Each structure stands twice: as C-alpha cells, then as structure tokens.
Amino acid sequence: MKYYHLVDRDALEDPSRKTMFVHSARRLKDKHFYMRRKIDTIYELSLRISSASTADHLCESLTELRAKALALFNALTCHAEWESREFFASLRSLVYFQNDPKLRSSLALLEHDQVIALDYFRAFLKRSDAALHILHSGALPHNLALYERLKQTAHPVTQACLILKCHFDMEETCIIPLTDEILRAMKAG
C-alpha cells in the first residue's frame, strides 16, 4: 500500500467521516467517467472546426461546440467547487498530506490545472460569441482571411480539453489509488 502510512487510522473510526468519504469517493469516480466522455466529445468537435469548408458549416459546427462547451464548463465549475468543498475536505480529514510533499504538490498542481482549463473555456466562450456574431452578420464570404481566423476560434477549448485529459489522468494515478487504499482500510478496520 503506497499511501497507507499517510492515513489517520483514528479518523477512520468516525462513522460520519467514513460515510462522507465513501460517498465522495464514489461520486468522484462516477464524475470522472462522465466528464471524460464529455471532454473527448468536445475535443473531437474542436478539432473539426478547423476543417470547416463553408461559412454555414463553420457556423453550425461552432454553435454545436459552443453549446456543448458551455454545458461542460458549467459542469466542471460545479465539479471543481464540489471537489474543493467536499471531496478534498473529506480526504484531508483522513490523510496526513503534510507527511508527503510530493502528494501535497500534486494536489496543488491538480487544483491549478482546473483553474487554467476553466480560463481556457472562458476564453473560448468569449471568442465563440464574437465569431458567431460575425458569422451571422453575413460579412464572411468576402473576407477569406477573417474566415481562416474564425476557424481558429476553437483553439482555447482544444487546449482546455488537453489540460483536463492530463488532469484526470493525474487524478486517476494519484488520488484514486489513495481513495481506494482508504476504502480498503475502512473495510479491513
């Protein structure tokens, strides 16, 4: 057990902490599965924007991407707040993070990654509003350079998805094994 030495075994005896942690650990895993599917979908859509062959196709693709990105942005914002408020609070009540600087810095990096990804989503949402306004204005057929720039509108959301994929990979190699160890210790205790 890689992290067992960090677990506060006295805290494992508290039924309310155990219940809260079991619920939080299950929710984290369920949310990861859901979010990964959404991120993969948005990532694929964002890559296709650059190959849009007509202004109508670009407008249609960008509208779809924007709607899905906005829904994911809202879900990620709620997820980040929940993680901070409940999951990590529950985890910190059971684990001595100060005894493992590498794990402590990994957690800080995870939180920072989420903030950066959300900033990229905000940038995309702002740019996509402006791009869709231009596309709906009908000024595009006469301006090829503008059309090519508009096809780059999805770059921030593409970057956000890449960051989130790494973020979830890191959580699944660092946090999930830790939660699994705590859950096994709860069953054994």
Side-chain angles (χ1 to χ4, degrees):
M1 293 187 148
K2 184 177 178 181
Y3 299 108
Y4 192 72
H5 67 285
L6 300 174
V7 177
D8 179 355
R9 278 163 288 304
D10 291 334
L12 291 179
E13 300 302 319
D14 182 345
S16 64
R17 284 189 198 181
K18 285 171 84 168
T19 301
M20 184 176 164
F21 183 77
V22 168
H23 173 72
S24 292
R26 189 173 302 128
R27 182 174 174 186
L28 180 71
K29 288 179 182 181
D30 291 345
K31 285 291 182 183
H32 270 225
F33 178 75
Y34 166 80
M35 298 272 192
R36 272 196 182 274
R37 286 191 359 247
K38 298 294 181 189
I39 290 165
D40 288 344
T41 299
I42 290 170
Y43 179 72
E44 293 301 320
L45 281 170
S46 73
L47 293 178
R48 284 189 267 160
I49 294 287
S50 64
S51 64
S53 57
T54 66
D56 288 341
H57 181 241
L58 178 59
C59 185
E60 185 179 299
S61 297
L62 197 53
T63 300
E64 178 184 7
L65 178 61
R66 188 182 192 297
K68 290 182 186 229
L70 180 58
L72 181 60
F73 172 77
N74 290 331
L76 283 167
T77 301
C78 290
H79 178 72
E81 289 171 4
W82 168 80
E83 264 188 349
S84 181
R85 186 181 63 251
E86 290 180 35
F87 176 75
F88 284 118
S90 173
L91 189 61
R92 283 186 180 98
S93 76
L94 298 173
V95 176
Y96 299 117
F97 286 103
Q98 66 275 13
N99 293 346
D100 192 328
K102 185 178 176 184
L103 184 59
R104 196 174 58 239
S105 65
S106 293
L107 288 174
L109 182 61
L110 284 169
E111 290 181 46
H112 184 68
D113 285 348
Q114 256 181 346
V115 169
I116 291 171
L118 290 172
D119 285 345
Y120 274 112
F121 268 97
R122 284 184 197 93
F124 165 72
L125 292 169
K126 186 176 180 179
R127 285 184 186 181
S128 63
D129 271 346
L132 287 168
H133 178 73
I134 291 167
L135 287 164
H136 290 299
S137 74
L140 205 53
H142 309 293
N143 193 336
L144 189 58
L146 177 60
Y147 179 70
E148 289 303 317
R149 265 201 342 262
L150 291 178
K151 287 177 20 176
Q152 296 174 9
T153 301
H155 288 171
V157 80
T158 304
Q159 189 65 38
C161 289
L162 291 171
I163 291 168
L164 289 170
K165 286 176 181 230
C166 290
H167 171 83
F168 283 118
D169 286 346
M170 190 171 171
E171 274 193 355
E172 289 168 11
T173 58
C174 182
I175 301 301
I176 300 296
L178 174 59
T179 62
D180 288 345
E181 282 188 33
I182 293 170
L183 292 170
R184 280 193 297 278
M186 286 177 174
K187 285 181 184 176

